[in-house]
Amino acid sequence: MTSFRFIHAADLHLGSPFQGLALKDAAIAELFIEASRKAFSALVEQAIAEKVDFFIVAGDVYDGDWKDNKIGLFFNREVARLEREEIPVFLLKGNHDAESVITKTITLPRNVREFPVNKPGTFTLDHLKVALHGQGFAERSATENLALSYPERQAGWFNIGVLHTSLTGREPHAPYAPCSIEDLRSRGYDYWALGHVHDYEVVSEDPVVIFPGNLQGRSIREQGAKGAVLVTVEDGRVSHERVITDSARFAELAVAVEPEDDIPAILQRLESALEPVVERMEGRALALRVRLTGRSRFRHELASRAQDFRDEVQAACHRCHEDIWLEKLEVRLEPEANGKAVSKDILGIEGLILAGAFPSELLADAESRIAEIAARLPGGIGAGELALGGDAETLLAEARELLLSRAARAG
């Protein structure tokens, strides 16, 4: 059996609008949009430098239907670079770019070969004795087990299965094309190039089954290094290594606050906590979620000056590194153990404001109102998850803190 190398990528999500970031700061959103394109360009550059024999994308090249042809033109430009180097590209549609989702088209170079969506198809590279089997998504939701209908292995060849799947479940990813490892093993393939799950995971070594993860983190839920996989096959033996492509990352930082810490003291604690974060940035831009915990006698003051305090936190981040951007500030401070209680009479909302949890009826009403507001936001900003920057319970908690701070001043 011959020796060869290939790139296995998935979940490019080109055209992702980063709606949550856009609502907070358009400049940060644009930085991450550009990072998604840079990630794919960097991977193409790596494929050319490594002189790989072929290139696999296991679903979700695009994030959804195009507003215009710009993102299609970008993808065409990059895969055309691979064509000039005589590197074939094997492309499979996932749930985000299913046949029913993408309505616009750009003619792609001849090196791009796309798996069918109505049944499994096979492509062969005769000079390498490699057979690639795959089936893309016809519809956005694929609930059937596609793997079981994949063809039997071609004897004497290196067989690769390309599949966009959640396997037996990978929260929070939707359960699309569900199947088990045993289902995959039953095909007798040598390598399974999976997509859909955004975390890097070597699911199995016999056979080799890998989720490469996405090329670029898209939200605070997708932290850490992102990239693809470079696979080397020598006389049938498979080895693999990660290729890191992201140029911007998400991270969280919890800062413990002491009861007597005023705003300057809190900012000093934050800057101290940021020192190891800066060391781990590896030259990349960072969207940082800061969470303040502990007890504080200044919690009401912070609530009443929320925007000013957020700006102070952003300024502290920039004092530590110019490319740390505040994705969100969560102030989860408790009152002092012996702090002054706020009278219910002052608040005038019997029991509600001081309650630890919100009634289900209030949460339902808040969710309905949030949905109404989100639907009116410009440019599709409200179409994304947590369009107003938090869920109903978070937003109600922030409103409660603001009311408490005003009540404290009034008292």
Side-chain angles (χ1 to χ4, degrees), residues 29-42:
E30 186 57 37
L31 185 152
F32 273 80
I33 290 170
E34 182 63 24
S36 294
R37 292 191 288 261
K38 285 182 177 178
F40 186 56
S41 295

Side-chain angles (χ1 to χ4, degrees), residues 202-251:
V202 179
V203 181
S204 167
E205 289 284 7
D206 183 23
V208 181
V209 181
I210 295 180
F211 284 112
N214 51 346
L215 295 188
Q216 171 61 54
R218 297 166 62 238
S219 75
I220 196 66
R221 296 187 306 185
E222 299 177 356
Q223 300 180 30
K226 296 292 182 179
V229 178
L230 174 63
V231 182
T232 301
V233 180
E234 295 180 325
D235 297 324
R237 295 187 301 272
V238 181
S239 60
H240 49 85
E241 60 184 284
R242 290 191 79 188
V243 177
I244 304 304
T245 60
D246 60 348
S247 61
R249 290 179 183 170
F250 289 86

Side-chain angles (χ1 to χ4, degrees), residues 299 347 349-367 370 391-404:
R299 61 194 288 262
L347 295 175
I349 306 176
E350 190 67 31
L352 175 60
I353 296 298
L354 295 178
F358 298 103
S360 58
E361 297 84 357
L362 179 61
L363 286 171
D365 183 58
E367 288 169 357
I370 289 169
D391 57 21
E393 189 167 6
T394 299
L395 295 174
L396 284 171
E398 291 174 357
R400 177 168 62 189
E401 286 300 317
L402 183 58
L403 286 172
L404 284 167

Side-chain angles (χ1 to χ4, degrees), residues 130-275:
V130 171
L132 300 99
H133 316 281
Q135 179 179 349
F137 283 25
E139 303 292 335
R140 189 177 185 95
S141 176
T143 56
E144 66 272 24
N145 186 335
L146 299 179
L148 291 179
S149 62
Y150 276 39
E152 295 292 329
R153 71 186 311 274
Q154 294 193 14
W157 289 51
F158 189 90
N159 289 257
I160 299 174
V162 185
L163 180 63
H164 201 74
T165 178
S166 57
L167 289 182
T168 53
R170 295 291 191 281
E171 293 290 346
H173 302 284
Y176 292 148
C179 61
S180 67
I181 293 298
E182 290 308 313
D183 293 334
L184 302 185
R185 288 198 178 105
S186 72
R187 301 297 89 194
Y189 298 170
D190 303 282
Y191 185 94
W192 278 94
L194 304 186
H196 184 51
V197 174
H198 290 186
D199 292 324
Y200 169 70
E201 181 183 354
V202 179
V203 181
S204 167
E205 289 284 7
D206 183 23
V208 181
V209 181
I210 295 180
F211 284 112
N214 51 346
L215 295 188
Q216 171 61 54
R218 297 166 62 238
S219 75
I220 196 66
R221 296 187 306 185
E222 299 177 356
Q223 300 180 30
K226 296 292 182 179
V229 178
L230 174 63
V231 182
T232 301
V233 180
E234 295 180 325
D235 297 324
R237 295 187 301 272
V238 181
S239 60
H240 49 85
E241 60 184 284
R242 290 191 79 188
V243 177
I244 304 304
T245 60
D246 60 348
S247 61
R249 290 179 183 170
F250 289 86
E252 292 180 281
L253 178 65
V255 179
V257 171
E258 293 295 327
E260 297 301 317
D261 286 348
D262 56 11
I263 289 178
I266 293 173
L267 295 176
Q268 183 56 54
R269 288 187 186 277
L270 170 62
E271 292 185 42
S272 297
L274 279 170
E275 291 177 4

